Amino acid sequence: MKKIKVLLLMFLTVFMVGCGSEEKTVVEPTDYLNIIQNLGYTAEDHTSSFAYSEASYLINNNNMYVLYVKGKKKYDIEGLFLDECKNVYNLAKEGYKEKTDGSDNWVSLEVKDNEKYYYVVYVDDTYLQIKADLAQEPYAKEIIEKLGY
C-alpha cells in the first residue's frame, strides 16, 4: 500500500501543474532566518552537509525538527522531496491521515498519525521538512504559515 502511495505522490509531483492552487513565493535564506528568528527559533547553518545546497538551516528543539534547504538546482530539491516523502510513509503509523497539494511551482505532503506530524514541501528550488511530536503541530503549522509554504 505504501508503494502505491509513493507512486501516486510521484505522479502528483510531475503532473499537478495548474490544479487550482496558487503559486507560492520562494523564501530566500536571509528571509527564512529572519522569519524563524522572529518566531523565537535558532536555526543552525548546515549548508556544508548538503553538496547540492546554496544554504541549509536546521532547527532541532522541543521535539520538532525543521530543515530548510535552498538548492543549487531545482531537480536536486525535487529528488530530496521525493526521498523524504518515501521516508514519511515508512515512518507513519497505521491509520495516518494525509493531505497533498500543489501547483506549478510547488508540491506538499502533510501526514499525521497518533504520535507525529510530518510536512514536506518544495517551492521551486527550496525545500522545507518538518517532523514533530503531535503536541508540536500548532508550532509547526505556524512556521509553515509564516513562510507561506
Side-chain angles (χ1 to χ4, degrees):
M1 184 67 170
K2 287 186 180 188
K3 287 183 182 181
I4 293 171
K5 295 235 181 225
V6 170
L7 290 174
L8 175 64
L9 187 62
M10 290 173 77
F11 175 81
L12 289 172
T13 301
V14 175
F15 296 104
M16 195 179 264
V17 177
C19 291
S21 294
E22 294 181 15
E23 286 194 11
K24 294 189 183 282
T25 302
V26 169
V27 176
E28 296 297 334
T30 53
D31 296 327
Y32 173 81
L33 288 174
N34 287 334
I35 291 167
I36 289 302
Q37 288 171 352
N38 286 338
L39 290 172
Y41 298 101
T42 302
E44 297 177 18
D45 189 334
H46 277 254
T47 304
S48 63
S49 300
F50 303 96
Y52 49 81
S53 75
E54 289 180 11
S56 176
Y57 297 100
L58 176 67
I59 300 169
N60 193 6
N61 64 348
N62 295 330
N63 300 314
M64 183 168 59
Y65 172 96
V66 181
L67 176 64
Y68 165 89
V69 178
K70 167 77 172 178
K72 293 177 182 175
K73 297 178 183 166
K74 182 178 177 180
Y75 69 83
D76 289 329
I77 296 303
E78 290 171 341
L80 179 62
F81 172 81
L82 290 173
D83 287 345
E84 187 55 30
C85 288
K86 291 179 209 171
N87 291 338
V88 166
Y89 283 123
N90 288 331
L91 291 171
K93 306 281 187 218
E94 188 140 339
Y96 64 84
K97 295 178 183 177
E98 70 177 298
K99 178 182 172 189
T100 58
D101 200 358
S103 188
D104 290 347
N105 74 329
W106 66 279
V107 177
S108 68
L109 170 68
E110 181 180 50
V111 173
K112 182 169 41 169
D113 62 24
N114 290 331
E115 298 174 14
K116 298 284 185 185
Y117 174 80
Y118 306 94
Y119 186 79
V120 187
V121 62
Y122 80 84
V123 179
D124 284 330
D125 60 353
T126 61
Y127 167 86
L128 182 72
Q129 169 194 354
I130 299 178
K131 295 179 185 177
D133 286 349
L134 201 53
Q136 299 298 316
E137 180 184 0
Y139 305 107
K141 287 188 171 187
E142 180 182 36
I143 291 171
I144 296 162
E145 179 186 330
K146 295 292 184 184
L147 293 173
Y149 276 24

